[in-house]
Amino acid sequence: MNKKSFVLEQGLYLSWGIALAATLGSLYFSEIQKFIPCTYCWYQRILMYPLVILLGIAAVRNDYKQSYYVLPFSVLGMGMSTYHYLVQKTPWFQSAGSGCGIIPCNTAYINWLGFITIPFLALIAFTLITVLQILIIRNARSAAGK
């Protein structure tokens, strides 16, 4: 099995698994750990949760064109997660998080290894999904061109 066929056969399932893990992780933090999501966390959830459904359907149907519908969510999620991470970690952006809502957006419930926060985890998930969708689009185009 070459890289192209692996990406086409498993890329949608991998993307779905990442979206599912991110969704279950956010639910764990809010429902089990009782961390109240800030406003920016809600925006990230709004962008991640539909991906579980879109990617699940796409994976079952082997519908590579769903990548075009997934990419706007994942790219916007990358931007939102990056901004939220900067609000948490940099003094320049930190003042933007204090008046964010009931829970200040510069609050870091977790800070593993000094840099891994919830927005960082979301950023990694959105980035992996984005990269996989781009690879799927490229490989599907090249497979159709043969």
Side-chain angles (χ1 to χ4, degrees):
M1 178 186 303
N2 62 25
K3 281 193 276 185
K4 285 184 181 184
S5 65
F6 177 80
V7 169
L8 288 178
E9 289 177 17
Q10 304 302 324
L12 290 171
Y13 286 105
L14 286 170
S15 297
W16 175 76
I18 293 165
L20 182 64
T23 298
L24 292 175
S26 77
L27 291 172
Y28 169 79
F29 285 132
S30 64
E31 301 302 318
I32 307 295
Q33 292 293 325
K34 302 296 184 197
F35 297 159
I36 299 169
C38 71
T39 301
Y40 296 157
C41 287
W42 277 113
Y43 293 150
Q44 291 165 78
R45 286 174 175 213
I46 289 167
L47 293 167
M48 182 62 74
Y49 287 12
L51 294 182
V52 176
I53 296 166
L54 287 172
L55 289 165
I57 292 168
V60 169
R61 296 183 67 198
N62 286 327
D63 184 0
Y64 307 122
K65 292 186 180 191
Q66 280 288 335
S67 296
Y68 293 106
Y69 303 113
V70 169
L71 273 174
F73 287 96
S74 63
V75 170
L76 287 171
M78 284 174 55
M80 187 72 239
S81 299
T82 300
Y83 179 72
H84 192 185
Y85 188 68
L86 290 171
V87 166
Q88 285 185 336
K89 291 296 186 179
T90 62
W92 193 41
F93 286 92
Q94 210 158 33
S95 63
S98 59
C100 183
I102 296 170
I103 302 298
C105 292
N106 54 12
T107 300
Y109 285 117
I110 64 168
N111 193 20
W112 300 330
L113 303 175
F115 71 96
I116 299 172
T117 63
I118 294 172
F120 183 81
L121 293 172
L123 174 61
I124 296 301
F126 281 122
T127 301
L128 289 171
I129 291 168
T130 299
V131 168
L132 283 167
Q133 297 314 297
I134 290 169
L135 289 172
I136 288 168
I137 290 170
R138 287 182 55 202
N139 289 326
R141 281 184 184 169
S142 97
K146 287 185 178 181

